[in-house]
Amino acid sequence: MKTSNYRMMMIIDVHRRLWIPIICMMIVLFHAGSSGVVAAPMVPAMFVFGDSLVDSGNNNYLSSMAKANYMPYGIDFTGWPTGRFTNGRTIADFLGEKLGLPYIPPYSDPNTIGTRMVDGVNYASAAAGILDETGQNYGQRFSLSQQVLNFQNTVYQLRYQMGGNITQHLAKSIAFLVFGSNDYINNYLIYRPSYTPDDFANLLINHYTRQLLALHSMGLRKFLVAGVGPLGCIPSQRATAPPGSCVNSVNQMLGTLNVGLRKLVAQLNSDHPGAMFVYGNTYGGMGDILNNPGAYGFSITDRGCCGLRSQGDITCLPYSVPCPNRSQYVFWDAFHPTQSVNAVLAQRAFVGPPNDIYPMNVQQLAQF
C-alpha cells in the first residue's frame, strides 16, 4: 500500500513539474496582453494631455475633489481603481494598445521617472480645461498650460537620458490632446460669462493654438486633437431636459468650437509642413453611437451605469454598486463613457475615414 502511494505521489509530482512552466508561461502571456504591450511599437511614445476622459491617475496626487480613486471605478480594468474615470480603459489606453505601447504612466506618480518616461507620459487632469480658470470649483488640477509646462519638464529629463536622440524620439511620437468639455461644463455653463457662445469658442481656439505651437516648439510633430462630444447628451445634462431628450442648446454651442478645431488643424498643417495635426470628430462618433446604439451593442443611452439612476446628475459615489450589464451602457457615470464606448471611439480614430478623423487616421499618423 505504501509503495502504491509512493508511486502515485511520484506521478503527481512529475505532472506538477511539467505543468509549472506551462502555467508560468500562461501568466506571462496574460500579463503581457493585459498591459497592452505589443512587440513592435508603431511610434516610440505617446504623450497624453487632457481632462478626466483620459486622466490615468494624476488627480490621485492633487488636492482635488475630482478623483476616481475609489471603487467601483476600474472594476473592469485591474479590478481596483487607478484614477481612471471609467469602469475600465480610456480611449488613450486603447489607442496606446493599438500603437503597441504599454499603458502610459501619469505624470504625478512619483514612480514616473527615468526609463518609465521613455514610452510616454500622461499629463491629463480631471476638471482641467483649455482656460486656466476652468474647473476651479473642483480645486487643484493641471490646466492645459500647466500640462505643457509639465511636458517641458519631462523633455529636460529625457534629454538628460537620451542626449541627441531625443529630437527624433519626439518627432516620431504622438501627442494626444483631449480638452474642451470642462470649459463648458465647469466654466461657461456655470458662470455664464459675458461672451456669446461663438466668442467663447473662439477664445478657446486662440488659447489652444498657443499651447499647440508651444508643444511644437519643444519638438513634437504628430498631434491628435480631439473635438468635444455632444455634452448636452451626457446624463448630468439630460437630467435638466424632458425624458428621452438631450439639451440641444448645449450641443448647438459646441459647433463653433469643433468646426474651428477642424479648420485649425488644416491651417497648422499648412503653416508647418514638417508636422501633422489631426482632428478627431468626437462629436460625430458619439452622436452615431447615441443615434444607433444597437449597431454597437448598446441599449441604454440616457443614464450612467453607476450613480443616481433616476436623474443621473450625481456621479458614481464611493462603493456604489454599478449595473451588472456594463457593456450595454453608453455612459459609466454622469459624465464619462464606459470602456466599451472608449473602445469604439479608439477604433474609429485608429482606422476611420476623414469624416471620423481628418486629414488622416491615427494608423496613418503613426506612419507619417
Side-chain angles (χ1 to χ4, degrees):
M1 186 69 175
K2 290 182 179 181
T3 302
S4 176
N5 288 341
Y6 176 77
R7 287 177 178 173
M8 181 63 69
M9 290 173 65
M10 288 293 292
I11 292 171
I12 293 172
D13 185 62
V14 168
H15 280 279
R16 180 178 62 83
R17 290 171 186 241
L18 288 172
W19 275 102
I20 284 175
I22 297 173
I23 293 171
C24 289
M25 180 61 70
M26 289 173 66
I27 292 173
V28 170
L29 290 173
F30 172 79
H31 282 289
S34 65
S35 67
V37 177
V38 179
M42 298 176 67
V43 294
M46 181 170 69
F47 297 96
V48 182
F49 306 83
D51 53 32
S52 57
L53 292 172
V54 287
D55 187 347
S56 62
N58 281 302
N59 275 34
N60 289 352
Y61 303 91
L62 302 180
S63 179
S64 171
M65 292 188 293
K67 293 188 179 184
N69 59 347
Y70 54 84
M71 288 295 287
Y73 286 95
I75 189 172
D76 296 314
F77 182 45
T78 57
W80 60 85
T82 62
R84 289 166 170 81
F85 286 74
T86 184
N87 58 308
R89 287 167 285 181
T90 68
I91 186 172
D93 294 325
F94 283 114
L95 284 177
E97 288 179 5
K98 293 176 184 298
L99 291 167
L101 296 169
Y103 292 130
I104 308 301
Y107 174 83
S108 297
D109 188 337
N111 295 313
T112 305
I113 56 175
T115 56
R116 283 202 74 200
M117 300 185 297
V118 173
D119 296 317
V121 177
N122 186 315
Y123 307 92
S125 176
I130 298 169
L131 303 180
D132 288 343
E133 62 269 26
T134 289
Q136 60 186 336
N137 50 314
Y138 280 98
Q140 192 177 10
R141 71 273 175 222
F142 293 144
S143 65
L144 169 58
S145 62
Q146 183 60 55
Q147 290 181 39
V148 172
L149 291 175
N150 292 344
F151 173 73
Q152 186 177 44
N153 183 50
T154 298
V155 172
Y156 289 150
Q157 296 180 59
L158 287 176
R159 182 171 288 114
Y160 178 79
Q161 291 184 65
M162 305 177 70
N165 294 329
I166 190 175
T167 300
Q168 187 74 356
H169 184 81
L170 293 177
K172 294 295 183 182
S173 298
I174 288 179
F176 180 30
L177 297 96
V178 182
F179 285 98
S181 296
N182 285 312
D183 292 290
Y184 288 92
I185 297 173
N186 290 307
N187 189 334
Y188 191 80
L189 295 177
I190 293 178
Y191 304 109
R192 295 289 181 178
S194 57
Y195 299 100
T196 66
D198 286 352
D199 288 341
F200 186 71
N202 290 327
L203 175 69
L204 296 179
I205 292 170
N206 288 336
H207 278 259
Y208 216 156
T209 303
R210 286 198 293 271
Q211 299 305 329
L212 286 168
L213 292 176
L215 292 173
H216 180 272
S217 71
M218 294 181 215
L220 292 172
R221 294 294 181 267
K222 300 182 181 185
F223 299 85
L224 170 57
V225 180
V228 178
L231 297 178
C233 295
I234 65 175
S236 67
Q237 290 295 312
R238 293 183 76 138
T240 66
S245 301
C246 297
V247 182
N248 292 327
S249 60
V250 173
N251 286 340
Q252 288 168 4
M253 68 175 61
L254 302 174
T256 303
L257 176 63
N258 285 328
V259 171
L261 289 176
R262 194 178 191 276
K263 291 180 179 178
L264 175 62
V265 301
Q267 184 62 52
L268 291 173
N269 286 331
S270 176
D271 294 343
H272 304 278
M276 178 54 65
F277 295 81
V278 171
Y279 168 72
N281 184 10
T282 309
Y283 193 100
M286 277 297 294
D288 192 29
I289 291 172
L290 291 169
N291 290 327
N292 306 286
Y296 298 93
F298 302 114
S299 58
I300 302 158
T301 64
D302 59 348
R303 61 188 185 275
C305 168
C306 184
L308 189 63
R309 300 289 196 276
S310 60
Q311 295 178 330
D313 56 351
I314 296 180
T315 194
C316 190
L317 299 174
Y319 300 101
S320 300
V321 178
C323 64
N325 52 336
R326 293 182 283 277
S327 63
Q328 295 178 27
Y329 276 70
V330 170
F331 294 102
W332 162 247
D333 59 19
F335 303 95
H336 308 96
T338 58
Q339 170 179 255
S340 299
V341 169
N342 288 330
V344 172
L345 295 177
Q347 178 66 12
R348 293 178 75 139
F350 194 69
V351 297
N355 283 342
D356 284 340
I357 185 154
Y358 170 85
M360 63 175 61
N361 58 44
V362 175
Q363 187 174 46
Q364 294 165 333
L365 179 64
Q367 299 164 354
F368 175 79

